[in-house]
Amino acid sequence: MWYFNSPDVVYGEDALSHLDTLHGERAFIVTDPTILKLGFVDMVKEHLHAAGMQVAVFAEVEPDPSLQTVRRGAEVMRDFAPDWIVGLGGGSSMDAAKAMWILYERPDLDPAGINPFVELGLRQKARLIAIPTTSGTGSEVTWATVLTDTEEQRKLALGARESMADVAIVDPVFTVNLPPQITADTGMDALTHAVEGYTSAWRNDFCDGLCLKAIQLVFEYLPRAYANGSEDLEARERMHNAACIAGLGFGNSMAALAHALGHALGGVFHVPHGRAVSLFLPYTIEFSARGGGTRYAEIARFLGLPAGDEEEGAASLVKAIRDLARQIDQPLSIRELGITQEDFEANLPKLVANAETDTQMVTSIRVPSTEQSEQLFRYAYEGKEIDF
């Protein structure tokens, strides 16, 4: 037995006006300094004020939000006592909002212990709205929460089904002027979600169509969004939809090995999430396909790529992903990230240990041994094709 969870999704032009219809007294916005500076917080506040609410803002979320930030934000939230919480920004702000909401309702909990098997009893004090300002994480429609333990230099993949947002507002107005680098990082993140959601050990009929559609949208519209920016509003909107659809897909079927390795790399070297997980995607496809029983050929056939058998389909998909990455100037190896061989070797044991304890490892269709995990990191550093 398993579940398919989704918030109410309000999408398209002027979706933000849905905030005008809310009923409540106080709203608490969780975001980061950049989103505040861009004026996005003011846009949201205007609609919340139209709904008759008092508004407080916590704009201190950093990239890869830390446990310390979450605890501090929850304290501010408790003082304000909101009945609506709004996560506004990229995955970091939305994940931080989820975790702060949990601690606001359950101050007795350690955020590192959030998991799907503990009943939280949320929504006694507040409900959650998630508003993405990038087209990548899908955090607005998932219950996953990725936090960083800065003391141990590792990412914590947490989550509970109760912590999914009540409402996701997917309005492309926030993504029109995204810089090319963020467009690329977040777009490849969405692709990785969709590919892993379709091929993880927990894949299922309810998520398959969502994942395939998201993959198709990313291949078609990400190059346009990257190259044309604000001049291609269709590409911006379709990429925003793709990220949300991918979130619904993988959020209900789980990610896999590329996320386990990417979380480890990001936790140690502070590589942006989307760049980290997508870098590993071609390597983990090659590795998984060598174990057999995968579905990469099905994805390749859906995209119209050569896929006479599993081996050819996996190879075609890997080539298409790498071609897309080159087209949008994304790195194809860890070395290309600017990480020196010396630093890489010094941190390799920690990378392997962190990957092996990541929750996304157990949902991988082929789980590597410790030796194979080390090899995967080494091959990804050098940019070598997986042959084991």
Side-chain angles (χ1 to χ4, degrees):
M1 181 179 74
W2 194 234
Y3 305 86
F4 185 96
N5 296 96
S6 172
D8 290 335
V9 179
V10 186
Y11 65 94
E13 186 179 353
D14 202 34
L16 193 61
S17 64
H18 177 76
L19 294 175
D20 298 358
T21 69
L22 298 180
H23 298 284
E25 296 182 3
R26 288 178 296 280
F28 189 91
I29 299 173
V30 178
T31 190
D32 65 61
T34 299
I35 296 299
L36 182 65
K37 187 181 301 183
L38 288 171
F40 291 167
V41 171
D42 290 335
M43 292 168 58
V44 172
K45 286 173 66 176
E46 181 179 349
H47 288 282
L48 292 171
H49 286 149
M53 289 194 229
Q54 299 177 44
V55 182
V57 179
F58 181 88
E60 301 175 25
V61 179
E62 71 272 48
D64 303 321
S66 66
L67 294 173
Q68 292 78 9
T69 297
V70 165
R71 292 190 181 102
R72 188 169 67 254
E75 289 179 8
V76 178
M77 191 179 290
R78 279 193 287 273
D79 290 338
F80 186 67
D83 40 28
W84 283 102
I85 296 161
V86 180
L88 174 68
S92 294
S93 291
M94 290 185 285
D95 282 3
K98 294 174 194 174
M100 291 176 194
W101 176 36
I102 292 172
L103 294 188
Y104 169 54
E105 302 243 8
R106 291 288 306 275
D108 56 304
L109 287 180
D110 179 349
I114 299 169
N115 67 76
F117 308 107
V118 174
E119 185 174 340
L120 300 175
L122 301 183
R123 296 174 175 83
Q124 303 302 308
K125 297 180 179 179
R127 287 182 286 172
L128 176 67
I129 296 172
I131 307 176
T133 60
T134 62
S135 303
T137 69
S139 183
E140 67 273 12
V141 291
T142 72
W143 45 266
T145 304
V146 180
L147 303 178
T148 297
D149 186 329
T150 54
E151 294 179 2
E152 296 188 16
Q153 285 189 300
R154 68 187 183 104
K155 287 193 173 185
L156 303 172
L158 312 170
R161 289 192 301 112
E162 291 177 65
S163 66
M164 178 172 284
D166 296 274
V167 180
I169 296 180
V170 185
D171 193 323
V173 69
F174 295 110
T175 68
V176 170
N177 294 305
L178 278 180
Q181 182 66 73
I182 296 177
T183 299
D185 286 344
T186 56
M188 292 300 286
D189 189 19
L191 179 64
T192 307
H193 291 158
V195 171
E196 293 209 309
Y198 190 79
T199 58
S200 79
W202 290 9
R203 61 186 183 259
N204 59 78
D205 293 345
F206 293 90
C207 299
D208 283 354
L210 293 165
C211 292
L212 288 174
K213 183 61 180 178
I215 292 167
Q216 179 192 52
L217 288 170
V218 172
F219 271 104
E220 183 172 354
Y221 290 103
L222 179 55
R224 285 173 49 179
Y226 178 78
N228 303 330
S230 61
E231 297 177 5
D232 195 336
L233 299 182
E234 181 189 21
R236 287 298 192 189
E237 181 170 0
R238 300 302 285 276
M239 276 304 302
H240 215 35
N241 292 346
C244 182
I245 294 167
L248 283 172
F250 98 96
N252 287 285
S253 63
M254 299 297 108
L257 186 55
H259 271 73
L261 301 179
H263 286 160
L265 185 72
V268 173
F269 289 107
H270 309 293
V271 180
H273 172 80
R275 199 178 309 170
V277 298
S278 63
L279 184 151
F280 285 106
L281 184 59
Y283 301 101
T284 57
I285 291 174
E286 291 172 339
F287 174 78
S288 299
R290 293 182 70 85
T294 66
R295 309 170 83 198
Y296 301 118
E298 295 178 21
I299 298 175
R301 282 192 288 271
F302 184 77
L303 294 173
L305 303 172
D309 56 25
E310 183 180 24
E311 182 179 358
E312 182 182 38
S316 294
L317 181 59
V318 165
K319 182 180 184 304
I321 292 169
R322 286 183 169 141
D323 287 346
L324 175 61
R326 290 189 187 95
Q327 192 174 352
I328 59 175
D329 304 309
Q330 288 292 88
L332 296 176
S333 69
I334 297 175
R335 186 192 297 276
E336 291 179 37
L337 294 170
I339 297 170
T340 67
Q341 183 89 44
E342 182 180 12
D343 284 346
F344 172 74
E345 292 293 343
N347 286 281
L348 184 56
K350 187 169 189 60
L351 291 172
V352 172
N354 287 357
E356 291 190 321
T357 58
D358 192 273
T359 56
Q360 305 306 291
M361 185 67 81
V362 299
T363 51
S364 303
I365 198 67
R366 183 186 179 197
V367 178
S369 65
T370 298
E371 181 182 25
Q372 289 170 330
S373 293
E374 183 175 321
Q375 282 184 286
L376 280 165
F377 277 112
R378 288 190 185 280
Y379 275 52
Y381 185 85
E382 298 293 343
K384 293 173 56 177
E385 180 181 340
I386 302 298
D387 58 5
F388 58 92

